[in-house]
């Protein structure tokens, strides 16, 4: 049996990859950090919207592409590889498919599809909201419901994190109601959560690919003892191990997307396993990349640290590897 992406998924991935390669420079990535040029970032998001990427999971009758998770994962992997700042997982995978109807939700969907509106999300019990200081709209889980809030209506406090481009905020008190009701359906809420996990896993595999590419390029041209350091056996083995981890994780994320799109009963387990594999691979790649770069890997002027810090921030997002392992163990009946 042969598994591969269909033509639609490949076309969207390739269109996004070409655009991101042309538009997302290190300057654009740094624009997401405090003091950056916000207009550069906004322009990149609008161009991404131009290829339909922001409405990938939105039905065609509502202005989207009407695709499923099989197309979502390759798209998010390319966004992760590019380093484009912003709540890609939250806006594309979680919020956009939930925005429907009149009022705030309908207006928000139009803004998302145009690339003018980013949406943050916190579907767990935590009080830290990535992009909560940047996104004008926030999806929160309020009891057994998902609600959409305007940022100004929530008690938020800016919070510094390792990745300054994530513009995190701390929720001082969780509202019991208010905002715009998006859904009270447990199945829809679970789907939104799994999509957030899947999208984050795809972002991590894309980041891992980019860090490996940067590192391979560096060790090919960096010389020591009259030879490229990439010719040394220790460097080769370290990078080979990191590559194997990424190549092992990528099909797991794609498989999890297939199970989720198919509505398979075991989808939750596959989505959790994909996040574990992607997070573990990203952690190994980050450590290996910094070690192979030596002192260069620690300098803020060098672009590697932009990707490394993004990976460190995403690894615990949407459930840490330990959290997903515990959930998997419970589902498989191998934990107390």
């Amino acid at each position: 049996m042969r598994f591969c992406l269909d033509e639609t998924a490949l076309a969207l991935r390739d269109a996004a990859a070409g655009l991101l390669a042309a538009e997302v420079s290190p300057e654009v990535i740094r624009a997401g950090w405090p003091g950056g040029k916000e207009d550069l970032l906004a322009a990149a998001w609008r161009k991404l919207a131009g290829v339909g990427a922001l409405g990938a999971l939105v039905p065609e009758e509502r202005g989207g592409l009407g695709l499923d998770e099989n197309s979502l994962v390759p798209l998010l992997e390319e966004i992760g590889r590019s380093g484009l700042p912003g709540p890609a997982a939250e806006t594309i995978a979680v919020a956009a498919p939930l925005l429907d109807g009149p009022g705030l939700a309908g207006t928000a969907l139009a803004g998302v599809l145009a690339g003018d509106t980013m949406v943050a999300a916190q579907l767990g019990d935590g009080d830290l909201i990535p992009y909560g200081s940047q996104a004008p709209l926030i999806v929160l889980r309020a009891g057994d419901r998902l609600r959409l809030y305007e940022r100004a209506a929530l008690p938020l406090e800016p919070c510094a994190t390792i990745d300054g481009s994530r513009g995190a905020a701390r929720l001082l008190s969780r509202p019991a109601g208010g905002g715009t009701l998006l859904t009270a359906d447990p199945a829809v809420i679970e789907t939104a959560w799994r999509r957030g996990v899947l999208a984050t896993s795809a972002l991590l595999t894309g980041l891992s690919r980019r860090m490996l590419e940067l590192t391979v390029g560096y060790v090919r041209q960096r010389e020591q003892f009259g030879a490229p350091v990439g010719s040394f056996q220790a460097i080769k083995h370290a990078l080979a191990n990191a590559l194997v981890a990424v190549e092992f994780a990528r099909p797991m994320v794609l498989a999890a997307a297939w199970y989720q799109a198919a509505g398979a009963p075991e989808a939750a387990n596959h989505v959790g396993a994909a996040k574990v594999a992607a997070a573990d691979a990203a952690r190994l790649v980050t450590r290996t990349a910094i070690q192979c770069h030596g002192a260069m890997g620690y300098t803020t002027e060098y672009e590697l640290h932009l990707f490394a810090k993004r990976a460190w921030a995403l690894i615990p997002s949407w459930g840490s590897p330990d959290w997903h392992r515990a959930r998997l163990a419970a589902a498989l009946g191998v934990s107390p």
Side-chain angles (χ1 to χ4, degrees), residues 54-143:
L54 304 186
L57 297 184
V58 177
E60 292 184 72
E61 60 270 20
R62 287 162 50 201
L65 298 181
L67 304 176
D68 61 19
E69 290 85 354
N70 289 302
S71 298
L72 174 72
V73 163
L75 168 64
L76 268 292
E77 184 175 340
E78 291 301 328
I79 293 176
R81 180 183 173 277
S82 75
L84 178 69
E90 293 80 0
T91 299
I92 300 172
V94 179
L98 295 171
L99 301 176
D100 195 8
L104 178 60
T107 304
L109 179 58
V112 166
L113 295 180
D116 297 326
T117 304
M118 298 180 186
V119 187
Q122 172 54 276
L123 271 57
D125 298 324
D127 57 2
L128 185 67
I129 304 177
Y131 307 101
S133 294
Q134 298 175 343
L137 299 173
I138 299 174
V139 176
L140 283 181
R141 186 166 188 163

Side-chain angles (χ1 to χ4, degrees), residues 253-278:
V253 180
L254 287 167
W258 183 89
Y259 278 99
Q260 180 60 33
E266 60 270 43
N269 289 348
H270 285 276
V271 170
K275 176 65 195 303
V276 170

Side-chain angles (χ1 to χ4, degrees), residues 40-304:
L40 292 177
L41 183 56
W45 269 81
R46 284 193 292 270
K47 289 180 179 179
L48 189 61
V51 299
L54 304 186
L57 297 184
V58 177
E60 292 184 72
E61 60 270 20
R62 287 162 50 201
L65 298 181
L67 304 176
D68 61 19
E69 290 85 354
N70 289 302
S71 298
L72 174 72
V73 163
L75 168 64
L76 268 292
E77 184 175 340
E78 291 301 328
I79 293 176
R81 180 183 173 277
S82 75
L84 178 69
E90 293 80 0
T91 299
I92 300 172
V94 179
L98 295 171
L99 301 176
D100 195 8
L104 178 60
T107 304
L109 179 58
V112 166
L113 295 180
D116 297 326
T117 304
M118 298 180 186
V119 187
Q122 172 54 276
L123 271 57
D125 298 324
D127 57 2
L128 185 67
I129 304 177
Y131 307 101
S133 294
Q134 298 175 343
L137 299 173
I138 299 174
V139 176
L140 283 181
R141 186 166 188 163
D144 57 354
R145 291 170 166 79
L146 292 184
R147 294 183 177 273
L148 180 68
Y149 296 90
E150 293 182 316
R151 184 180 64 202
L154 294 172
L156 295 170
E157 177 182 69
C159 180
T161 62
I162 190 169
D163 179 9
S165 71
R166 281 166 69 80
R170 194 172 300 283
L171 186 64
L172 301 180
S173 62
R174 186 174 290 269
T180 299
L181 178 65
L182 295 177
T183 183
D185 186 338
V188 174
I189 295 173
E190 177 65 17
T191 294
W193 164 260
R194 291 182 195 171
R195 284 173 170 171
V197 177
L198 264 177
T200 302
S201 303
L203 289 172
L204 282 167
T205 58
L207 282 165
S208 297
R209 285 174 52 208
R210 183 63 175 273
M211 287 187 286
L212 278 174
E213 290 166 6
L214 286 170
T215 307
V216 169
Y218 179 78
V219 300
R220 279 177 172 169
Q221 58 86 26
R222 174 74 167 91
E223 291 192 358
Q224 196 170 44
F225 308 115
V229 297
S231 65
F232 301 158
Q233 191 176 60
I235 298 293
K236 289 180 179 180
H237 285 187
L239 289 173
N241 288 338
L243 176 62
V244 167
V246 176
E247 291 303 306
F248 181 76
R250 289 179 72 192
M252 290 185 68
V253 180
L254 287 167
W258 183 89
Y259 278 99
Q260 180 60 33
E266 60 270 43
N269 289 348
H270 285 276
V271 170
K275 176 65 195 303
V276 170
D280 286 352
R283 184 181 286 116
L284 175 60
V285 169
T286 305
R287 184 172 67 245
T288 303
I290 291 175
Q291 184 177 17
C292 290
H293 275 83
M296 281 291 293
Y298 290 91
T299 59
T300 57
E301 293 81 9
Y302 191 61
E303 61 184 282
L304 174 64

